[in-house]
Amino acid sequence: ASKSGDSLDFYEVISNKDEAAEGLSSFKHRPVYDLFDHKIIKVDQVKLEDTVDAIKYGLMKIDTEGHELEVLGGSVSLLKKELIDYIQFEFGDCIKERGGNLKDILDFFSKFNYTVYAINTVGVFKVLDESNSDEYNKTNWDNYYAINNNIKL
């Protein structure tokens, strides 16, 4: 496992023709990079809990192109202390390309006082658990929410 102080390669997509392509940048080399110019940048890795104050946060948004579990792993002390009310994260192809699945994220949150939700097409929250996570593993990408169980919805 990586730890604070480690250095990682970040693959930055460079495209003068397609601004959206820059959103493909990631810490993992992906086959789509063969279609675009890109450069590799060395990035120092730090744990979130080592960089923020231990105060109450309303929302944490994670969109790290497949590295959501690593960000969550660097937030364990904040989650144990229930310092974050809402966590919005993306799940999709980038995680799946790395061999992960939605169950990995559900297993992670099961260790803490959070429930994971999806929003269906009419905007209604739906609790995610092992009984229905497979249907969400089939999407290319989507946003999900982990909400502290002390928050009244």
Side-chain angles (χ1 to χ4, degrees):
S2 298
K3 60 184 186 300
S4 286
D6 286 352
S7 177
L8 300 171
D9 288 340
F10 180 76
Y11 299 86
E12 180 183 15
V13 173
I14 303 164
S15 175
N16 295 329
K17 299 175 186 163
D18 184 0
E19 283 185 23
E22 293 175 1
L24 298 171
S25 298
S26 179
F27 284 103
K28 178 184 183 300
H29 185 274
R30 301 173 66 200
V32 72
Y33 295 159
D34 295 337
L35 304 174
F36 301 97
D37 290 334
H38 64 276
K39 64 182 176 181
I40 300 172
I41 303 169
K42 288 284 187 195
V43 177
D44 292 332
Q45 182 175 349
V46 296
K47 290 171 107 180
L48 182 64
E49 58 196 29
D50 291 343
T51 61
V52 299
D53 294 327
I55 60 172
K56 189 77 166 165
Y57 292 90
L59 172 69
M60 179 167 106
K61 182 179 184 324
I62 307 170
D63 182 356
T64 53
E65 299 303 320
H67 294 269
E68 285 72 9
L69 270 173
E70 286 85 347
V71 172
L72 289 168
S75 309
V76 167
S77 69
L78 301 172
L79 299 175
K80 281 183 181 176
K81 295 175 187 171
E82 299 182 15
L83 294 176
I84 304 168
D85 293 333
Y86 304 92
I87 301 168
Q88 179 186 352
F89 63 92
E90 195 173 89
F91 171 81
D93 288 343
C94 291
I95 291 176
K96 291 186 269 188
E97 286 174 6
R98 299 183 68 223
N101 61 56
L102 193 52
K103 186 178 178 311
D104 297 332
I105 293 174
L106 294 175
D107 288 346
F108 177 87
F109 278 113
S110 72
K111 301 172 193 162
F112 305 97
N113 191 29
Y114 289 81
T115 301
V116 178
Y117 297 86
I119 297 180
N120 68 19
T121 56
V122 292
V124 177
F125 279 115
K126 182 175 182 181
V127 175
L128 290 182
D129 57 32
E130 286 191 31
S131 70
N132 62 4
S133 66
D134 282 346
E135 70 184 90
Y136 292 94
N137 266 329
K138 297 173 186 166
T139 63
N140 289 340
W141 68 269
D142 217 337
N143 283 292
Y144 298 90
Y145 301 87
I147 300 176
N148 184 291
N149 291 328
N150 294 323
I151 301 295
K152 295 183 184 190
L153 297 179

